[in-house]
Amino acid sequence: MKWLFSGALVALMGATGLSQTRALAPVAPRLLSETGLYAGEGTRVVDVRNRPFAPQYPLWSDGAGKRRWVQLPPGSRIDVSNVDRWDFPVGTRFWKEFDFDGRKVETRFLWKVSDSRWVFASYAWNEAQTDAVLVPESGSPEVADVAPGKRHSIPSRTECRSCHDSSRTEILGFSALQLSDDRDPNALHADRLPADAVTLRTLVDEQLISPRRNEFVATPPRIDAATPQARAALGYLSTNCGSCHNRESSIASLGLLLKHELRGDKPLGVSSPRCTPALATTAGRKGHWAVPANPAESRVINPGKPELSALIQRLRSRRPSSQMPPLGTVVQDRAAVELLTAWVKSNPEGWALLAATCGAGRS
Amino acid sequence: MKKSDLIFTTALIAAAIILTSVLATATVGATSAEPAQAAAGTIARGKFLVDIMGCHDCHTPWKIGPKGPEMDMSRALSGHPEELTMPPAPALPPGPWVASAAGTMTAWAGPWGVSFTMNLTPDKETGLGDWTLEQFIATMKTGKDRGKGRALLPPMPYFNLAKLSDEDIASVFAYLQSLPPMKNRVPQPIDPPEGR
């Protein structure tokens, strides 16, 4: 009788398009200690298969300390045929640990479980700092103090994906530019590179990428900018804004392209050698949001005038209708505001030329 | 096998066969339907949802008519009127009153600052004309501008709309895109004063 009932049920499920496939899909374990990050029991020792890395331009997360690890399946390689959109082998795992004042708060876990699917999970550390528990899809609000009256929240799965699904690769901090051995000494909030960290040279030497790219070692990627200050500023924008503002994002139609791409960051058909997308789509351009004090003069970047540059004003803001980035931070990044303000103020003649050359016909 | 079991099993199998044939018929019907009819059905569904969900309440300006407040349907769903410059929001005394609204129901002031209802007509410069369906669905599901930007502000009840299926949100979008475009540049939100 039971098998007949099951047979009828399967027939009904088939007719309605339901299947059990989803129920069998891999899901994140309940505890961080079960994700493969640590060796043995507990969370004391990181498994040696998990290699640390540190992107040269880290994301601002209200001053959180961060540690990151990657694990590639044995014998596998990252497909870097497209230098800007790496394709990771199924089974790849990434972890990012956040701490405030040395106290671990959360660890995020990305796990590639099929050719087209990554599992996203966040784990909240317990009081005893012995393990971390899977956070519901809706996230967990206000889990740690980061400043007077300001608290860190663990983002929802939807919020995670709003950035990580904004280009053809879900992994944001593990790319040719971020792992380049030609690291920017002026990059803001850069983490000290662990002695055994994975870098671009490591990936080439250990044959962890395919095809082999000797140019990653011979001429490591770097942002070609007019000054060291501009290089650091563009690197900051690439990480903190470019995750969403890039040519593959669902908001590409807004016309802001701030992600640095090795292949795509070429001059845009104009004579200036530095008329790259990040500059061409900001310098002298009107944006969707205007500086309230003077909407007529507002530009995304108003050369020489940070007070009339929407990019600077939104970076400064932590008010609900103007803050950028809009999530993942509740405290202004003062160092970034100072760097970008000084950058916009610097060399007004050069900026004006850039705006005229790159921005012609675009405002 | 007991007689009752046999009857139950037979009934289940029969139900499965009937359901399969009904669904198959429905599928065949859908694929053979005229695309224009399907689109009209989608738009009609979208109009129905827009009407019952109260989108007009705030996105169509209200005016005073002969019988009192009424919606100005000549500006249907075009958001806060561009020419209506609002004076500073009234400062409310401490207490349970926390928000103020314009008579048009298109401008709202509260602890979040001042919000203005958006132009939902498909004007390319001032409305939804340059929006994609993907952006619209993401906005309704996340409560963030185009799914990635600033948070939508009160009184927008996106959390209710987030419960709609993607198909229903697509219907709403199809209806809004079918409206005549109306040029009406709505002001951007105003942040609350520092310290609030």
Side-chain angles (χ1 to χ4, degrees), chain A residues 114-151:
Chain A
S114 75
D115 281 337
S116 59
R117 182 168 173 257
W118 287 84
V119 165
F120 284 62
S122 299
Y123 292 86
W125 281 87
N126 61 19
E127 280 295 310
Q129 299 274 278
T130 55
D131 209 336
V133 179
L134 182 65
V135 169
E137 284 211 11
S138 56
S140 187
E142 304 193 345
V143 293
D145 289 323
V146 296
K150 306 277 189 180
R151 292 179 66 79

Side-chain angles (χ1 to χ4, degrees), chain A residues 186-262:
Chain A
N186 298 309
L188 293 181
H189 317 301
D191 298 299
R192 190 174 54 81
L193 200 61
D196 53 346
V198 172
T199 68
L200 216 45
R201 175 182 287 275
T202 314
L203 294 176
V204 173
D205 289 349
E206 298 183 19
Q207 300 182 29
L208 295 173
I209 57 173
S210 175
R212 184 179 179 85
R213 287 194 176 275
N214 292 325
E215 70 268 28
F216 280 177
V217 175
T219 54
R222 61 177 285 154
I223 294 175
D224 178 26
T227 64
Q229 181 188 58
R231 180 186 177 193
L234 290 167
Y236 185 88
L237 293 177
S238 180
T239 292
N240 288 274
C241 312
S243 301
C244 286
H245 291 295
N246 64 72
R247 67 179 76 247
E248 293 167 344
S249 169
S250 62
I251 58 169
S253 59
L254 293 178
L256 268 183
L257 302 176
L258 295 171
K259 183 179 181 180
H260 180 84
E261 293 186 327
L262 304 188

Side-chain angles (χ1 to χ4, degrees), chain B residues 55-56 58-63 70-84 104 106 117-121 179-186:
Chain B
C55 304
H56 284 281
C58 296
H59 289 277
T60 296
W62 289 67
K63 63 180 182 179
E70 62 182 33
M71 290 178 190
D72 182 355
M73 295 309 285
S74 70
R75 311 186 65 141
L77 299 168
S78 64
H80 180 79
E82 180 176 351
E83 71 278 10
L84 178 58
T104 54
T106 56
T117 59
M118 187 180 176
N119 180 354
L120 302 181
T121 74
L179 297 172
M182 203 173 299
K183 194 166 289 300
N184 178 47
R185 190 174 298 281
V186 173

Side-chain angles (χ1 to χ4, degrees), chain B residues 122-175:
Chain B
D123 182 68
K124 282 211 178 296
E125 287 180 21
T126 65
L128 292 176
D130 71 339
W131 281 52
T132 64
L133 173 60
E134 181 187 9
Q135 291 172 348
F136 190 73
I137 291 176
T139 303
M140 295 303 114
K141 292 288 185 185
T142 63
K144 297 183 188 305
D145 185 18
R146 303 185 200 233
K148 297 183 189 299
R150 68 163 176 81
L152 303 188
L153 298 171
M156 175 64 193
Y158 77 87
F159 34 82
N160 294 339
L161 280 68
K163 294 183 172 64
L164 291 174
S165 67
D166 285 1
E167 290 74 17
D168 274 341
I169 298 177
S171 298
V172 169
F173 187 67
Y175 169 61

Side-chain angles (χ1 to χ4, degrees), chain A residues 163-177:
Chain A
C163 287
H164 284 272
D165 281 354
S166 287
S167 60
R168 276 184 228 149
T169 181
E170 289 82 352
I171 303 303
L172 303 175
F174 197 87
S175 65
L177 178 68

Side-chain angles (χ1 to χ4, degrees), chain A residues 15 162 166 250 290 319 321-322 326, chain B residues 12 23 135 148 188 191-193:
Chain A
S162 75
S166 287
S250 62
R319 324 308 300 280
S321 67
S322 51
Chain B
L12 265 178
L23 287 171
Q135 291 172 348
K148 297 183 189 299
Q188 67 190 33
D191 279 331

Side-chain angles (χ1 to χ4, degrees), chain A residues 142-163:
Chain A
E142 304 193 345
V143 293
D145 289 323
V146 296
K150 306 277 189 180
R151 292 179 66 79
H152 172 78
S153 295
I154 298 177
S156 69
R157 223 59 53 81
T158 303
E159 288 174 321
C160 294
R161 287 189 178 278
S162 75
C163 287

